[in-house]
């Protein structure tokens, strides 16, 4: 019974970690979405202007910040894979515990 309790607590902690990573990933995804929207607008404006020479557009995010964002997303992806693996292991343990017949109470 203690193992089941510890497993439940571990699953709760893993669930909280997954939720935190998910929230962080959503924030990063929103940032990337804004960048993509901005870039698509710039491409559309450049196409409508034709061959007119214009100064290079100012990117809302500097290149190092964009690289940091990409690296951060890669780290989050690795963490999510590890968490998914932990969840699968925990599920196997729980399934194994549910198959083991309980000892009769004495």
């Amino acid at each position: 019974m203690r193992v089941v309790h510890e497993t439940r607590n571990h699953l709760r902690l893993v669930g909280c970690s997954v939720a935190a990573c998910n929230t962080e990933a959503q924030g990063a995804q929103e940032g990337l979405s804004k960048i993509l929207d901005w870039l698509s607008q710039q491409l559309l404006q450049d196409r409508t202007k034709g061959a007119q020479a214009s100064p290079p557009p100012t990117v809302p995010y500097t290149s190092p910040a964009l690289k940091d964002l990409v690296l951060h997303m890669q780290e989050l992806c690795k963490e999510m894979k590890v968490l998914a693996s932990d969840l699968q292991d925990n599920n196997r343990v729980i399934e194994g515990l549910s198959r083991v017949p309980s000892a009769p109470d004495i």
Side-chain angles (χ1 to χ4, degrees):
M1 192 64 164
R2 181 178 178 196
V3 173
V4 172
H5 179 69
E6 289 175 359
T7 303
R8 282 184 184 164
N9 286 341
H10 183 68
L11 284 173
R12 285 186 187 123
L13 290 173
V14 170
C16 290
S17 295
V18 168
C21 287
N22 185 33
T23 302
E24 197 170 345
Q26 285 176 345
Q29 185 176 8
E30 288 173 8
L32 287 173
S33 179
K34 288 178 183 178
I35 291 171
L36 288 174
D37 289 343
W38 182 84
L39 286 174
S40 65
Q41 287 176 346
Q42 289 299 317
L43 286 173
L44 184 61
Q45 287 175 0
D46 288 346
R47 286 184 183 169
T48 57
K49 288 180 183 178
Q52 295 176 350
S54 62
T58 307
V59 179
Y61 299 97
T62 61
S63 182
L66 184 58
K67 288 179 183 178
D68 288 344
L69 185 61
V70 169
L71 290 174
H72 189 63
M73 288 295 292
Q74 290 172 344
E75 289 174 12
L76 284 173
C77 183
K78 288 177 187 176
E79 288 178 21
M80 292 297 286
K81 287 178 183 177
V82 169
L83 288 172
S85 175
D86 285 349
L87 285 172
Q88 287 175 347
D89 291 342
N90 289 338
N91 286 339
R92 284 188 211 109
V93 168
I94 291 171
E95 288 172 1
L97 290 174
S98 66
R99 291 186 196 134
V100 175
S102 60
D105 293 332
I106 298 178

